[in-house]
Amino acid sequence: MNAASRIAADHAGRAVNRQLAGRRNRSLAATIFLLYLLLSTAIGLIALAVLLVTILQDGLPYLDVMLFENAPSANPDRAGARPAIIASVLVAVVLLATALPIAIGTAVYLEEFAPRDSRIIRLIELNIQNLAAVPSIIFGILGLAFLVRGLDLGPVLLAGALILGLQMLPTVIIAAREALRAVPDTVRQGGMALGATRWQVVWREVLPAAIPGIATGSILGMSRAIGETAPLLMVGAATFVSFNPGLLTQYTVLPILIYQWIKLPQDAFQGLAAAAIIVLLVILVTMNGFAIWLRNRYERKW
Amino acid sequence: MQATHPSSAPGGRPRLAATSRRLGERAIIGTLALAAGISVLVTVGIVIALLVPSIEFFAEISPAEFFGTATWAPLFEPPAFGVIPLIVGTLSTTLWACLICLPLGLGTAIYLSEYARPRVRQTVKPILEVLAGIPTVVLGYFALTVLTPTLRTLGWEVEIFNAFSAGVIIGVLLLPTVASLSEDAMTAVPRSLREGSFGLGANRFQVSTRVVVPAAISGIIASFVLAVSRAIGETTIVLLAAGQLARTSFWPGDSVMTMTAFIAGTGSGDVPTGSIEYKTIFAVGLTLFVITLILNIISIRLVRRFREVYE
Amino acid sequence: MDPTPSTAADSTAMESSRDRTPLGALGVAERTQADATPVEERDVVFDCQQVGVRYSGTRALRDVDLKIHSNAVTALIGPSGCGKSTFLRCLNRMNDLIPGAAVDGQIFYHGEELYQPQVDAIEVRKRIGMVFQKPNPFPKSIYDNIAFGPRVLGMKKDLDERIEQTLRRAALWDEVKDRLKEGALGLSGGQQQRLCIARALAVEPDVILMDEPCSALDPISTSAIEDLMLSLTNDYTVVIVTHNMQQAARVADMTAFFSVDQGETGTRCGVLIEVDRTERIFTNPAHERTEAYVTGRFG
């Protein structure tokens, strides 16, 4: 704090001196700087707008009932995405049943029960922070080595979903911890002072108060997993699956199907890819919108 | 009256020993601790998955050949295992990504933190969140079917698959990340520092560039380092837009193969388990993991140092 | 159902001498009992011997010798940093929750040492309730706030009746009886604090500790809480930390004055200067540091 404020004050002082020395120059630099800032901000927004418009242009002509009813086919006139959409929903269900409870349990343990000064706990925290930034393809390698080939599970939906779940863990853990941390300590003390145990206070007061934040983080984590492509390439999400997938069958999810369609030479498949992208984006935007609504609706000012 | 505290012993002394050993609660807390251990198992699993086949790989192919030669053709006859082209390909796409996301992300962050009115900020930030949430396969589609053809229409003879398009789009993907993390760092700078400088007669430009940015610099650099790490690890966009041609070229219009593209391309094929081709996936994966691990640790350290100063 | 807590140490004679304020009565409590037996002769609830606290090795409080008597209000006063809140938190082992805090010396609660290994802090807190500086109701309904304690302690029988009695006892029933299912955070600050007191009463404690309970409240709410404190002494032992000397003079039977000792190395450590009947502390203290503080000449 001290060092930083000294540096800052020093800079400010020098800035003032220079300003007194050459006023005109300064305002030109300030104008150019502001233009740079506005341009920077605009580029992100423009990129998003162009992206969405292009995809709608390319995809809308191909967005029809067939896309939802038919299975992928070598003939673009009959190709659909039904098995992929079903698989994506199944993946979400597996994430909900496996990774989510583990992530929330981890967050509750680290935030409410873990000894603060323990080296092991600090190591676990560092580990989670690092895992959050490990490239997704590395998780694919993990799945390839242990699930698909090691356990000889083969390229089945469950293997892919579990890998996405592991990849999702750190994101949800970090979000859930923040939500728990936002519940003020006075709530915990109030409960403990009544003779409740730590767990009783956590279960009856802290968790309910943190649920909106945890739910928001969970949904955002799940939506990222559902849009993920790279690790699933490694665990063999197959290209053309014409049947409705189950947990232990081959499968392809929406992003993989889109990926495969993009790589096909016929223009019609590019259009189908764009149409499937629209479906994927609608799913993700709905999930994220719900998450953001949840956050705003139940956000509590303590 | 006496019914209220039945545990009070006769003779007036309250009985304060635990009435139950609370085994149920202990079991729950133990289960939660086990859940916390899973994340450690994931890391251990990753390290084992990468290390074991890599050791076998380096028993056959010397590290000198792997890191020191510039021909990558593991699936050809005779095979060649020089990883330099993959590293150059990765650096090439990462370079273009950084040229986009670092300056633009920082500019966006300064604008949102120091210039924008609250309403503008409340509008722009969620939109950037949407951009950050666009699946990479969608951005890959955009790079391949929109950006590359546009570059060609503009008269730049880039290859269909090229490092530039992929890199630029990765940059667009990471722009919100840099913007959001840098903005967090800048908003954490105490208001009093800004007010002190405004009080000295400094204008917004001077306060931003000479007070806020220097004070938030470790947080900003942390966001940069994280962006570099993400750019290096990005897979889908490069697979779709940069191609799979391993060559040592920094020319932006050339098709290149990144480390991630090799891993995904080979891993999704049918290479037999235990073959040398299969093991290359892990050797390249280990290289990628070590590089990103170092960058991540640097970033985490910088963030921590920043937090220690201001929180 | 009898809302009165069992203070096992109460003598039968004292039981019969009690003049109960009718439930729900708000206003100046009659202090008949205080007139009957001098405070010093009532049962000793807490006998503190050489109590001290360290936070991560740094001493914050030392050598407190203090007796707290039943059915009375004992006020802990003193300048900030004197360790009065720290001491209060020793009495129900809330200090256990602060990492690095260590308590030494002995505190006998009705003759039972609180810091023996076999004593369970949860059991201690069931009997010794606490109200905090800032009202901290749970973010749920008024009803659920009061019900929390009985529910976790397994006192689920006649819950509705218990909640009504408790709210009446805390002089809050008439204000909230029509909106028990509404959120507690919608109450005014003073109502929230009385709800927190009611929440503590619902688990039938023996002692209520209050840590500057009025410091966040306006004068009218403060007055309501002070009246409540007085009426509570018929059934409970109350220990209150306050920075407000007038408040101590208004409500306390006994007052303990804490102060800060400056160590040679510049370390600051809380100490108990003296404890006596409130009127003596404010009119004729034994110690000159006390006199300097109560007359406003404290340096």
Side-chain angles (χ1 to χ4, degrees):
Chain A
M1 177 77 221
N2 280 339
S5 34
R6 225 183 310 118
I7 293 168
D10 195 36
H11 277 299
R14 254 185 278 157
V16 173
N17 288 343
R18 247 174 273 148
Q19 187 189 21
L20 293 173
R23 175 116 215 147
R24 278 180 60 103
N25 236 349
R26 172 76 41 221
S27 63
L28 180 65
T31 312
I32 293 171
F33 184 67
L34 181 58
L35 278 176
Y36 151 64
L37 298 186
L38 287 171
L39 194 71
S40 302
T41 312
I43 284 178
L45 305 182
I46 292 169
L48 181 64
V50 173
L51 179 82
L52 294 180
V53 168
T54 318
I55 290 199
L56 285 177
Q57 268 178 354
D58 293 359
L60 277 181
Y62 291 87
L63 191 65
D64 52 20
V65 191
M66 268 205 315
L67 193 67
F68 298 92
E69 283 181 347
N70 288 13
S73 155
N75 178 356
D77 295 336
R78 281 187 287 132
R82 178 185 34 110
I85 295 173
I86 293 173
S88 284
V89 173
L90 278 178
V91 165
V93 172
V94 175
L95 292 176
L96 211 60
T98 57
L100 219 51
I102 293 174
I104 296 171
T106 303
V108 169
Y109 181 74
L110 291 179
E111 210 49 48
E112 305 290 337
F113 295 102
R116 279 292 132 98
D117 41 4
S118 149
R119 289 187 78 112
I120 296 176
I121 298 303
R122 277 210 300 260
L123 198 71
I124 292 179
E125 291 177 337
L126 182 69
N127 171 56
I128 289 168
Q129 281 179 296
N130 176 57
L131 269 187
V134 165
S136 60
I137 192 76
I138 300 284
F139 284 90
I141 292 181
L142 179 70
L144 177 69
F146 280 108
L147 294 181
V148 176
R149 307 234 171 155
L151 282 180
D152 214 13
L153 215 49
V156 298
L157 189 142
L158 186 63
L162 288 178
I163 282 305
L164 289 178
L166 294 184
Q167 196 195 332
M168 186 179 90
L169 279 181
T171 319
V172 180
I173 291 171
I174 291 168
R177 287 190 70 178
E178 267 170 33
L180 289 168
R181 218 174 297 145
V183 179
D185 232 22
T186 56
V187 168
R188 295 178 186 84
Q189 293 198 356
M192 299 287 286
L194 293 169
T197 63
R198 187 113 213 169
W199 168 251
Q200 286 170 325
V201 175
V202 169
W203 179 247
R204 287 165 183 266
E205 299 301 333
V206 180
L207 263 179
I211 272 183
I214 294 176
T216 304
S218 303
I219 295 171
L220 291 178
M222 291 212 356
S223 80
R224 200 184 290 177
I226 286 172
E228 187 61 89
T229 314
L232 294 182
L233 291 173
M234 300 293 291
V235 292
T239 324
F240 289 119
V241 174
S242 53
F243 50 87
N244 291 345
L247 285 184
L248 293 173
T249 68
Q250 292 207 316
Y251 66 107
T252 186
V253 291
L254 261 180
I256 299 282
L257 182 65
I258 293 165
Y259 172 81
Q260 299 291 358
W261 276 346
I262 293 172
K263 297 191 76 161
L264 291 175
Q266 298 98 312
D267 278 347
F269 278 113
Q270 308 296 315
L272 277 171
I277 286 174
I278 296 175
V279 175
L280 180 64
L281 287 182
V282 166
I283 294 174
L284 298 186
V285 166
T286 309
M287 289 174 73
N288 291 358
F290 180 64
I292 291 165
W293 175 82
L294 210 60
R295 184 170 66 194
N296 295 341
R297 170 75 175 73
Y298 290 102
E299 192 174 48
R300 206 190 303 272
K301 298 273 182 289
W302 293 93
Chain B
M1 203 50 211
Q2 271 65 31
T4 48
H5 275 308
S7 57
S8 290
R13 287 195 162 201
R15 206 166 337 117
L16 298 176
T19 48
S20 135
R21 292 169 65 197
R22 303 193 184 99
L23 291 177
E25 271 179 35
R26 286 192 201 181
I28 290 169
I29 293 166
T31 312
L32 295 177
L34 282 181
I38 287 179
S39 67
V40 179
L41 282 185
V42 174
T43 303
V44 172
I46 287 174
V47 170
I48 293 175
L50 290 174
L51 218 47
V52 174
S54 294
I55 289 170
E56 293 171 15
F57 174 84
F58 285 117
E60 292 181 51
I61 312 294
S62 75
E65 182 189 342
F66 186 68
F67 292 109
T69 63
T71 309
W72 182 258
L75 304 179
F76 289 176
E77 201 57 49
F81 297 95
V83 82
I84 288 177
L86 300 189
I87 291 182
V88 167
T90 304
L91 287 180
S92 179
T93 53
T94 302
L95 175 73
W96 302 116
C98 290
L99 283 178
I100 295 290
C101 75
L102 303 190
L104 297 184
L106 180 61
T108 306
I110 297 175
Y111 179 72
L112 291 178
S113 158
E114 305 302 316
Y115 283 78
R117 278 172 291 143
R119 278 198 54 186
V120 176
R121 183 162 48 225
Q122 280 161 20
T123 318
V124 172
K125 285 191 75 168
I127 297 178
L128 288 178
E129 265 185 79
V130 172
L131 182 59
I134 299 279
T136 49
V137 71
V138 179
L139 293 167
Y141 172 87
F142 187 73
L144 183 68
T145 64
V146 180
L147 185 57
T148 299
T150 309
L151 292 175
R152 294 181 141 206
T153 321
L154 292 176
W156 186 15
E157 284 303 316
V158 294
E159 295 180 24
I160 291 285
F161 300 112
N162 65 82
F164 183 78
S165 291
V168 166
I169 293 301
I170 295 173
V172 170
L173 169 73
L174 296 176
L175 192 157
T177 308
V178 175
S180 150
L181 293 178
S182 295
E183 197 219 335
D184 284 350
M186 286 185 236
T187 42
V189 172
R191 183 156 281 281
S192 58
L193 276 187
R194 294 188 183 85
E195 281 164 358
S197 323
F198 280 123
L200 289 170
N203 60 29
R204 202 169 283 279
F205 166 62
Q206 291 158 331
V207 170
S208 304
T209 54
R210 301 188 197 285
V211 179
V212 178
V213 170
I217 195 72
S218 61
I220 294 170
I221 294 176
S223 80
F224 284 9
V225 175
L226 186 70
V228 174
S229 167
R230 287 257 172 90
I232 290 174
E234 174 47 42
T235 308
T236 315
I237 295 174
V238 294
L239 264 179
L240 283 171
Q244 306 223 41
L245 192 59
R247 63 176 169 198
T248 312
S249 164
F250 257 115
W251 179 244
D254 278 353
S255 172
V256 293
M257 183 192 254
T258 64
M259 290 188 279
T260 54
F262 167 74
I263 296 169
T266 313
S268 58
D270 292 327
V271 285
T273 310
S275 65
I276 187 76
E277 294 89 340
Y278 180 70
K279 287 171 193 160
T280 53
I281 299 173
F282 299 89
V284 176
L286 183 66
T287 313
L288 174 69
F289 181 71
V290 170
I291 294 172
T292 53
L293 180 72
I294 293 169
L295 292 171
N296 296 345
I297 299 286
I298 293 173
S299 170
I300 292 168
R301 283 272 156 85
L302 283 169
V303 168
R304 194 168 294 169
R305 187 195 297 173
F306 179 75
R307 289 213 175 125
E308 274 164 14
V309 173
Y310 289 114
E311 283 169 14
Chain C
M1 201 199 71
D2 188 344
T4 318
S6 101
T7 50
D10 281 352
S11 68
T12 8
M14 277 189 50
E15 284 288 302
S16 55
S17 75
R18 273 190 186 167
D19 181 4
R20 286 237 181 92
T21 320
L23 289 177
L26 179 62
V28 179
E30 296 156 50
R31 310 190 68 187
T32 43
Q33 197 205 339
D35 302 331
T37 325
V39 183
E40 298 95 320
E41 288 168 31
R42 291 180 208 159
D43 287 335
V44 174
V45 178
F46 290 104
D47 184 358
C48 307
Q49 300 178 358
Q50 294 292 300
V51 173
V53 180
R54 280 165 297 151
Y55 291 121
S56 314
T58 312
R59 187 158 282 289
L61 184 70
R62 63 176 162 81
D63 302 338
V64 176
D65 285 299
L66 179 63
K67 285 189 173 63
I68 292 170
H69 299 269
S70 76
N71 298 89
V73 177
T74 302
L76 314 179
I77 63 168
S80 58
C82 69
K84 53 192 191 295
S85 289
T86 300
F87 175 71
L88 190 77
R89 284 161 181 263
C90 295
L91 298 179
N92 66 343
R93 293 192 52 172
M94 283 300 275
N95 278 335
D96 291 16
L97 306 180
I98 301 168
V103 177
D104 42 58
Q106 291 178 305
I107 300 175
F108 292 94
Y109 167 68
H110 293 300
E112 200 69 26
E113 215 280 296
L114 285 182
Y115 286 84
Q116 309 173 69
Q118 69 268 30
V119 166
D120 184 40
I122 304 289
E123 291 292 326
V124 172
R125 294 186 203 120
K126 282 181 192 173
R127 291 145 194 278
I128 305 172
M130 188 163 202
V131 175
F132 297 85
Q133 185 169 0
K134 196 169 160 278
N136 61 346
F138 301 128
K140 41 167 70 168
S141 73
I142 293 167
Y143 184 96
D144 286 336
N145 261 275
I146 310 284
F148 175 87
R151 277 177 182 153
V152 300
L153 301 183
M155 310 179 198
K156 289 176 199 161
K157 246 180 87 186
D158 303 322
L159 194 56
D160 288 356
E161 193 190 340
R162 179 184 292 269
I163 283 165
E164 176 173 345
Q165 298 240 21
T166 309
L167 283 168
R168 284 187 188 282
R169 192 71 193 77
L172 198 57
W173 175 252
D174 292 333
E175 293 162 63
V176 302
K177 64 178 179 223
D178 298 324
R179 44 174 173 150
L180 290 176
K181 298 290 174 195
E182 287 173 30
L185 295 174
L187 296 173
S188 75
Q191 287 172 325
Q192 287 189 12
Q193 195 61 302
R194 274 183 283 147
L195 180 69
C196 290
I197 295 173
R199 190 174 68 181
L201 298 181
V203 297
E204 301 175 9
D206 171 35
V207 181
I208 314 256
L209 309 177
M210 300 190 182
D211 189 357
E212 303 198 17
C214 304
S215 65
L217 305 181
D218 60 89
I220 293 171
S221 307
T222 299
S223 156
I225 295 210
E226 286 178 4
D227 291 341
L228 177 56
M229 268 185 244
L230 290 172
S231 78
L232 289 176
T233 55
N234 289 309
D235 306 314
Y236 306 94
T237 302
V238 177
V239 186
I240 167 179
V241 164
T242 177
H243 62 268
N244 179 335
M245 279 184 281
Q246 285 76 27
Q247 182 167 60
R250 283 193 298 265
V251 301
D253 301 284
M254 298 288 284
T255 296
F257 172 64
F258 286 71
S259 191
V260 189
D261 267 3
Q262 202 90 25
E264 289 157 25
T265 53
T267 51
R268 295 158 60 84
C269 176
V271 285
L272 173 66
I273 303 296
E274 67 174 306
V275 56
D276 210 330
R277 287 196 169 204
T278 300
E279 58 268 27
R280 247 177 282 164
I281 289 282
F282 284 101
T283 54
N284 187 22
H287 205 288
E288 60 185 54
R289 286 173 77 174
T290 315
E291 189 178 3
Y293 184 73
V294 298
T295 55
R297 287 186 287 112
F298 182 84

